[in-house]
Structure formats: C-alpha cells, structure tokens
Amino acid sequence: MADIKDPENTILMELKDGTVVIELLTEVAPQHAARMKDLARAGAYDNVCFHRVIEGFMAQTGDVAHGNMEKDFNLRRAGTGGSDLPNVPAEFSKLPHDRGTLGAARSQAPNSANSQFFINFKDNHFLNGQYTVYGRVLSGMEHVDKIARGEPPTAPDRMISVKVAADVAQ
C-alpha cells in the first residue's frame, strides 16, 4: 500500500481485489474533496456499485441514492441519483485527466456534481477543463483495472467500503 502522508485527505476504497489508496487534492478542489470525505464518513459509499464502466475510458460510481447494492438497489436507476446534500460547484483546474485521476461526474450543467465520480483508466485529456479533477490513485490501480465492464455491467462490482484514512486504526 502507498505511503500515506496526509491521512485526513486520503481515501481507502476497498474493492473485491484489494485496497485503492486515493489522495484528495484539497488545494485544487476543496469542496469536492470535502464532499467525498463527508460521504465516506457517513458510510454512504459503502456497497455502491460501479454502474458505468467503459473499457479504455473510465469506471463511474458514487450514486448513493440508487447504487447501494445492499439497500434499495436499482441497477436501472443507478447513475441517476446523488446524495441529499446540495450540488457542488465546478472547481475546474489545469490538472489533466490522467490515468488514475478522479473526476466529478455531473450532468450537462457544470455545477451539478454531487456524489458520483469516475476513475480514469487512461489519460483522457479531452475532459480537461470540463470536469473537476479532485483526487488521484496512489496505489491499487491494478484493482480498478479489474472492475467489471458495462453500461451497466451485467454483474457490477462495488465499493465494499470507503473510509478516510485518518479514521482507520493503523
């Protein structure tokens, strides 16, 4: 596992194949980073499926309203919801959408991000300046690469648990 320098701004995402360590980029997108920490601390991301996974592009998850595979799960609606919290305004930066970066998923409206996000499988620079980058995978990208593909996948994978590293006993 990666050497964690800032546990308060590091996410530990447990997938079926292992732990993904994510550095939140608080200096670039403080509101998006704060939202991810709030939802992780509330347990809202636990058991949420990857509902849109496109080979050579990205894996999208985070629909806490319809994507929880243990509670009111609806695969048809997964990807259409968010949290009960207000949307987060865009925090566009010069950071590129490189392999392993987290981007805020949203509708066509730039200020509509809420709980959903995606992890880039490869450099997707055509997204630069259009979607907020607010995190990057430090280790465990090989586990992300194994997520079941599909829109939606026939048998979707899930985030088993998502925690802020500072809250986990080391």
Side-chain angles (χ1 to χ4, degrees):
M1 196 168 356
D3 181 31
I4 297 173
K5 293 177 178 56
D6 182 3
E8 180 58 29
N9 292 303
T10 303
I11 296 292
L12 302 175
M13 178 188 299
E14 196 65 36
L15 301 182
K16 72 181 186 313
D17 293 303
T19 304
V20 180
V21 179
I22 299 165
E23 172 189 28
L24 295 176
L25 305 173
T26 56
E27 70 286 350
V28 175
Q31 293 177 79
H32 285 79
R35 173 61 53 87
M36 183 167 221
K37 290 193 303 187
D38 288 346
L39 292 172
R41 285 189 161 125
Y45 284 131
D46 296 354
N47 293 305
V48 173
C49 75
F50 285 88
H51 64 270
R52 184 171 176 245
V53 185
I54 303 171
E55 182 65 42
F57 181 31
M58 59 88 213
Q60 186 172 335
T61 186
D63 182 345
V64 300
H66 307 297
N68 186 327
M69 296 176 75
E70 301 294 322
K71 180 181 158 222
D72 301 326
F73 181 58
N74 185 334
L75 186 55
R76 283 184 205 260
R77 294 197 62 203
T80 64
S83 73
D84 293 335
L85 300 169
N87 288 343
V88 181
E91 294 177 294
F92 298 148
S93 70
K94 299 276 188 212
L95 278 182
H97 282 266
D98 287 339
R99 173 173 163 76
T101 55
L102 264 68
R106 60 171 176 79
S107 70
Q108 293 297 322
N111 297 322
S112 62
N114 189 292
S115 64
Q116 293 188 45
F117 63 93
F118 57 91
I119 303 172
N120 288 294
F121 286 132
K122 68 177 192 80
D123 293 354
N124 290 312
H125 294 171
F126 67 94
L127 298 173
N128 293 353
Q130 299 178 59
Y131 291 83
T132 301
V133 175
Y134 67 97
R136 73 170 57 97
V137 173
L138 295 178
S139 70
M141 194 61 196
E142 67 275 15
H143 308 313
V144 175
D145 288 335
K146 294 178 185 174
I147 295 169
R149 302 324 198 238
E151 295 183 73
T154 307
D157 284 319
R158 69 179 81 189
M159 296 182 287
I160 296 165
S161 72
V162 178
K163 307 281 184 239
V164 176
D167 301 341
V168 177
Q170 299 295 332

